[in-house]
Amino acid sequence: MTRFLLALVLTATLAGCGFHLRNKLMLPADTAAVKVVSTAPYSELAKLLRRGLQASGATLADADSKEPAAQLQVLSERWGDLPIAIDAQGRAQEFSLRYAVIFVFRREDGSDLVPQQVIELSRDYVSPPTDSTGTTTEREILADELRREMSASIMRRIDSVVRAELERGRLNPPAKPTADPAAAPAGVPSTAPPATVPAVKPPQGG
């Protein structure tokens, strides 16, 4: 019960942190709307990625849209439990929960914006052989935590790769809003040239 309560507190703390980018996700100016595609039907990770992209300023493409769209593709999700401690009877009582994801981010023309790569995360948990119910609950909590962290890790990886490519000048920088001179606040001099005042001829002497 104590482990369960600690896990709940940890989960609530992590959820409060948000696992989100501090700034808007950096994408090139020519990036179309983004579609998240996963090989796993009803993938919870895909749902988290969609939310993360939207919260970070990216435009999401409709799932049924036929228009060209950039794609964040989750190519593989793999889970594993590795025994890391045994009791006096030789039974495993502590495990490391491993979670590995392979992903790639492609432009609408199919070229790679972020090349295929893998991210692996892990969390340790205790599994007494006589308490399988409590262990199952703790493992599910850790799995949910790892999915959220994986989503954030993928977003950070995309952001760091794109920023590095922008610094090298290999990508088009994000579009910047165009300033409207008519909307300049009062008191700020306009950059427009002054209007020409026609010259007035002096009256001729009679």
Side-chain angles (χ1 to χ4, degrees):
M1 179 60 69
T2 301
R3 290 198 310 273
F4 177 67
L5 292 175
L6 288 174
L8 283 177
V9 171
L10 176 61
T11 301
T13 302
L14 292 170
C17 293
F19 277 125
H20 54 75
L21 294 169
R22 292 182 179 179
N23 301 311
K24 183 177 179 180
L25 178 66
M26 181 69 73
L27 291 175
D30 57 353
T31 302
V34 182
K35 182 181 295 185
V36 179
V37 180
S38 174
T39 55
Y42 313 109
S43 169
E44 289 298 323
L45 176 61
K47 294 178 183 177
L48 290 170
L49 287 170
R50 291 187 190 99
R51 294 174 195 162
L53 284 168
Q54 193 168 27
S56 298
T59 302
L60 290 183
D62 294 334
D64 301 329
S65 174
K66 302 300 182 183
E67 297 295 324
Q71 290 193 0
L72 172 52
Q73 298 180 352
V74 179
L75 305 176
S76 173
E77 291 184 62
R78 294 192 176 184
W79 295 89
D81 293 271
L82 178 67
I84 57 177
I86 59 175
D87 61 13
Q89 285 73 40
R91 297 173 299 182
Q93 63 177 3
E94 188 173 353
F95 293 84
S96 178
L97 178 60
R98 305 292 181 90
Y99 183 35
V101 169
I102 301 175
F103 75 96
V104 61
F105 196 116
R106 293 193 172 100
R107 299 180 180 90
E108 59 272 21
D109 62 2
S111 61
D112 289 350
L113 177 60
V114 179
Q116 178 177 314
Q117 46 198 283
V118 60
I119 296 178
E120 183 174 347
L121 304 173
S122 65
R123 290 288 184 275
D124 298 342
Y125 67 96
V126 177
S127 174
T130 58
D131 186 17
S132 59
T133 302
T135 298
T136 300
T137 303
E138 183 177 355
R139 187 185 184 282
E140 290 173 351
I141 292 173
L142 290 177
D144 289 340
E145 175 193 327
L146 285 174
R147 287 191 190 94
R148 288 193 296 272
E149 186 173 350
M150 180 62 73
S151 173
S153 296
I154 290 174
M155 296 285 291
R156 286 193 294 266
R157 185 72 62 86
I158 293 171
D159 189 69
S160 63
V161 170
V162 171
R163 286 178 186 273
E165 292 298 306
L166 286 170
E167 290 177 359
R168 297 188 185 102
R170 298 178 182 175
L171 298 175
N172 295 327
K176 295 182 179 180
T178 303
D180 184 1
V188 178
S190 172
T191 56
T196 302
V197 179
V200 178
K201 294 183 179 180
Q204 298 294 328

